[in-house]
Amino acid sequence: MSVLITGAAGFVGINLVRRFAEAGQSVIALARRPPDAAALRFLGNVADRVTWVNVDVRDRDGLIRVSRDHAVEVVVHAATITAPLPVEKADPAAIVDVNLGGTLNALEAARLAGARRCVFISSTAVYGAPADPTAPKEAATDQA
């Protein structure tokens, strides 16, 4: 099985790359930059099962080309910008371009390549920070 993992150089992505490679899958690791020495050390003896491609998730045509060229069957979309609030406020368009536009591009690449599955990785950051993180959580009530 050929698995495309976006955001492959990130913390979650590199762990997924390693796990899929250890399971014997053909892994296409997509990242904006080539892997650094630490990433290659982390992959260890499975590094030779990984094909690195340098494409930004904002590049729809590039994602489609990679997906088709490698006959991708599964897309695991883990590319994201998880930035602190000051960075989000300074450049919200970049956050939207990567997090929303990149997701749309990954879905479109999966569809056009005929992938049978697309997995989206997210985080609790999508919900924002609580007003008071020290306050106890209220139990949900069913008012139906």
Side-chain angles (χ1 to χ4, degrees):
M1 176 173 64
S2 181
V3 180
L4 172 68
I5 301 174
T6 68
F11 177 77
V12 172
I14 194 73
N15 279 278
L16 290 168
V17 167
R18 182 174 164 176
R19 293 296 300 206
F20 276 100
E22 287 173 341
Q25 306 305 322
S26 172
V27 178
I28 296 82
L30 187 128
R32 290 180 299 157
R33 292 183 279 284
D36 60 18
L40 295 175
R41 276 193 310 275
F42 177 74
L43 294 175
N45 63 349
V46 297
D48 61 333
R49 294 188 200 148
V50 179
T51 301
W52 287 88
V53 292
N54 302 116
V55 174
D56 191 306
V57 292
R58 294 174 286 190
D59 177 0
R60 180 178 294 192
D61 292 337
L63 265 172
I64 293 167
R65 184 184 66 255
V66 167
S67 297
R68 286 181 169 162
D69 288 353
H70 293 276
V72 168
E73 298 171 67
V74 173
V75 174
V76 180
H77 178 53
T80 186
I81 295 177
T82 305
L85 189 57
V87 174
E88 284 184 15
K89 286 183 175 182
D91 194 2
I95 307 292
V96 170
D97 286 347
V98 171
N99 295 356
L100 185 58
T103 300
L104 178 60
N105 292 342
L107 290 169
E108 185 69 354
R111 181 183 74 83
L112 292 173
R116 56 190 178 98
R117 180 156 300 175
C118 188
V119 178
F120 174 66
I121 305 297
S122 187
S123 76
T124 58
V126 300
Y127 301 110
D132 181 0
T134 63
K137 307 292 184 263
E138 292 185 30
T141 59
D142 183 14
Q143 300 192 0

